[in-house]
């Protein structure tokens, strides 16, 4: 007796796709774009003369981006405007440690020393500036040019990446095509795990336009595409999954303040195999971030979308998620630790496919010397379905999935980086059709702008 369940396997691949993208856990385009807009907000507050507000925001940004010279210069100038002289001196001293030949910084530091009555220190700063006169300076003007750019109302950022990968189980299949389903032993064609080498190519674009030059609201949008191809020719047979494409477009509003970020947008996504079968999704999503202290951020994320399966209409319906996370910054190197939980579920047309569940996750980001970043992560997921996985089974389907992994990035410079990652997934299910193990390895290069 042969039973074909290929249509049942492919939706699971779609649900896991985002976690299988190379370094998905390490890269967050929304966060990158929001960070640049927070920098623009801080620069705008400083320009308007709100020294206290600018200082509070720059203080948060400096904790998150201690290597950014423009943020550090903004913090120094905001500290002066807020009459926080000791903090201003510290920020200027840190800048001079990075740019010891910058005569302009010595002049500004001398002015601060005079304000706090330290004439001897001011004279030393002026003497150093005089000794450097005639040398190639320009550091301050370059930083100020970058600071001026962040007053702009329009922001655009993105990333392009390409690389190679290995997937031990690209179709998320069990170890064998001979399965015990309920009281039946059956052969399921092409269900067993298929390994493959392959390549990937992706691009992200994040856009923001400030509605008013000194306002809190932004019009935002993003466009993302991802392609993955596999060398295993057997994926062309019944599965028709030798290559896949994913695309997304979204637009909405974002509100920024010194301590909060609210991002609301409508998204449209499509995941496609071989231009033969696809899953389309459309709906709203929301992110709220609250920086309770310079070292702690609380992040709420949620969304709901309607999905349409081109070759499995029984799965069409609404799918939703709501998660709460906490991000902590620690040590002088500004490492990160994120911990959170997410509730999720689906209400498709066929009730046997309806489910709800939970996911808990943790992620560390270690900022190592010489431009390296190490990001270990792990998640555990429970999913409870309203019916059995197949018509041959009696028990309702229940899945438990463990997914640990680690990413490593080497930042060559501000624009270019090398990225690699490993992820292991083990899924235990009441249905042997959905019992699987998977190893996924990727390595590539990325260009950010």
């Amino acid at each position: 007796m042969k039973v074909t369940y290929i249509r049942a396997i492919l939706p699971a691949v779609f649900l896991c796709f985002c976690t299988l993208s190379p370094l998905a856990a390490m890269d967050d385009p929304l966060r990158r774009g929001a960070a640049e807009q927070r920098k623009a907000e801080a620069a705008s507050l400083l320009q308007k003369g709100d020294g206290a507000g600018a200082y509070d925001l720059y203080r948060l940004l400096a904790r998150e981006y201690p290597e950014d010279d423009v943020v550090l210069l903004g913090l120094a100038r905001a500290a002066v405007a807020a009459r926080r002289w000791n903090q201003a001196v510290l920020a200027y001293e840190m800048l001079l440690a990075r740019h010891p030949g910058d005569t302009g910084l010595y002049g500004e530091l001398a002015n601060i020393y005079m304000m706090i009555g330290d004439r001897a220190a001011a004279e030393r700063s002026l003497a150093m500036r005089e000794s450097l006169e005639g040398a190639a300076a320009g550091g301050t003007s370059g930083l100020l040019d970058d600071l001026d750019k962040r007053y702009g109302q329009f922001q655009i950022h993105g990333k392009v990446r390409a690389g190679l990968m290995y997937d031990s189980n690209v179709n998320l299949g069990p170890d064998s095509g001979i399965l015990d389903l309920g009281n039946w032993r059956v052969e399921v064609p092409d269900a067993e795990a298929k390994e493959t080498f392959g390549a990937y190519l992706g691009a992200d674009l994040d856009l923001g336009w400030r509605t008013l030059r000194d306002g809190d609201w932004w019009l935002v949008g993003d466009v993302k595409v991802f392609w993955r191809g596999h060398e295993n020719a057997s994926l062309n047979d019944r599965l028709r999954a030798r290559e896949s494409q994913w695309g997304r477009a979204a637009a909405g509003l974002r509100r920024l303040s010194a301590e909060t970020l609210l991002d609301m947008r409508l998204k449209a996504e499509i995941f496609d195999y071989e231009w033969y079968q696809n899953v389309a999704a459309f709906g709203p999503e929301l992110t709220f971030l609250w920086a309770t202290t310079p070292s702690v951020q609380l992040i709420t994320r949620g969304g709901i979308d309607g999905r349409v399966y081109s070759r499995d209409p029984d799965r069409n319906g609404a799918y939703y998620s709501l998660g709460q996370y906490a991000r902590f910054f620690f040590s002088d190197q500004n490492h990160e630790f994120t911990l959170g939980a997410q509730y999720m579920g689906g209400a498709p047309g066929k009730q046997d496919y309806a489910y709800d569940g939970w996911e808990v996750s943790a992620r560390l980001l270690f900022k190592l010397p010489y431009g390296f970043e190490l990001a270990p992560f792990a998640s555990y997921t429970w999913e409870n379905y309203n019916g059995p996985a197949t018509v041959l089974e009696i028990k309702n389907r229940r899945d438990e999935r463990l997914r640990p992994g680690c990413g490593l990035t080497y930042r060559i410079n501000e624009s270019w980086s090398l990225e690699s990652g490993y992820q292991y997934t083990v899924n235990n299910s009441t249905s042997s059709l959905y019992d699987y193990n998977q190893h996924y390895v990727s390595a590539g290069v990325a260009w950010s702008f």
Side-chain angles (χ1 to χ4, degrees), residues 203-253:
D204 303 338
L205 188 66
D206 197 76
L207 307 169
W209 183 73
R210 199 171 197 163
T211 55
L212 297 173
R213 188 175 181 86
D214 58 351
D216 295 332
W217 288 93
W218 294 71
L219 295 175
V220 293
D222 65 83
V223 179
K224 303 176 186 178
V225 293
F226 189 85
W227 171 88
R228 190 164 68 171
H230 310 110
E231 54 80 29
N232 188 339
S234 69
L235 294 172
N236 271 343
D237 298 336
R238 295 174 184 269
L239 289 176
R240 301 190 69 168
R242 195 170 182 182
E243 68 174 88
S244 60
Q245 307 84 28
W246 173 78
R248 163 192 163 104
L253 289 171

Side-chain angles (χ1 to χ4, degrees), residues 14 268-272 277-282 305-310 316-317 319:
F14 167 73
E269 297 182 58
I270 186 165
F271 181 78
D272 181 271
Q277 52 187 328
N278 61 69
V279 183
F282 177 82
D305 54 68
R307 293 182 190 169
V308 177
Y309 289 75
S310 64
N316 295 352
Y319 294 79

Side-chain angles (χ1 to χ4, degrees), residues 107-255:
E108 294 186 24
L109 181 57
N111 287 333
I112 298 172
Y113 278 131
M114 290 299 294
M115 291 178 187
I116 61 178
D118 192 343
R119 184 179 182 88
E123 289 176 349
R124 287 195 298 270
S125 293
L126 291 174
M128 182 62 73
R129 185 183 69 174
E130 291 173 2
S131 69
L132 293 171
E133 289 294 342
T140 300
S141 61
L143 291 175
L144 289 176
D145 288 343
D146 288 340
L147 194 60
D148 287 339
K149 290 178 183 177
R150 291 178 179 170
Y151 294 148
Q153 286 182 263
F154 182 68
Q155 304 282 330
I156 179 170
H157 308 281
K159 177 176 281 191
V160 179
R161 59 160 59 89
L164 303 175
M165 60 87 179
Y166 166 76
D167 195 330
S168 70
N169 189 353
V170 67
N171 61 318
L172 306 185
D175 293 335
S176 170
I178 306 298
L179 302 174
D180 291 324
L181 301 177
N183 296 322
W184 298 83
R185 174 161 290 185
V186 299
E187 180 183 353
V188 183
D190 292 316
E192 70 275 6
K194 296 182 181 295
E195 66 174 348
T196 184
F197 288 93
Y200 66 86
L201 178 65
D204 303 338
L205 188 66
D206 197 76
L207 307 169
W209 183 73
R210 199 171 197 163
T211 55
L212 297 173
R213 188 175 181 86
D214 58 351
D216 295 332
W217 288 93
W218 294 71
L219 295 175
V220 293
D222 65 83
V223 179
K224 303 176 186 178
V225 293
F226 189 85
W227 171 88
R228 190 164 68 171
H230 310 110
E231 54 80 29
N232 188 339
S234 69
L235 294 172
N236 271 343
D237 298 336
R238 295 174 184 269
L239 289 176
R240 301 190 69 168
R242 195 170 182 182
E243 68 174 88
S244 60
Q245 307 84 28
W246 173 78
R248 163 192 163 104
L253 289 171
R254 175 182 294 160
R255 186 183 186 278

Side-chain angles (χ1 to χ4, degrees), residues 19-86:
T19 61
L20 294 176
S21 301
L23 296 177
M26 292 186 64
D27 182 52
D28 189 344
L30 184 148
R31 182 184 174 189
R32 293 199 313 271
E36 292 303 321
Q37 290 170 17
R38 289 166 66 203
K39 294 173 186 178
E41 170 70 15
S44 178
L45 290 172
L46 183 59
Q47 186 185 49
K48 291 189 296 182
D50 185 357
Y55 176 78
D56 288 340
L57 185 49
Y58 271 123
R59 185 165 55 92
L60 295 172
L61 289 167
R63 179 70 177 172
E64 194 166 350
Y65 304 96
E67 74 288 346
D68 192 323
D69 289 340
V70 176
V71 169
L72 192 54
L73 179 63
L75 176 64
R77 291 179 173 273
V80 172
R83 304 179 68 83
R84 295 176 176 268
W85 311 120
N86 292 333

Side-chain angles (χ1 to χ4, degrees), residues 159-162 371 409-419 444-449:
K159 177 176 281 191
V160 179
R161 59 160 59 89
T409 298
Y410 171 60
R411 301 197 179 279
I412 302 171
N413 53 41
E414 195 171 304
S415 299
W416 290 93
S417 61
L418 302 177
E419 57 183 23
V445 62
W447 173 60
S448 302
F449 60 91

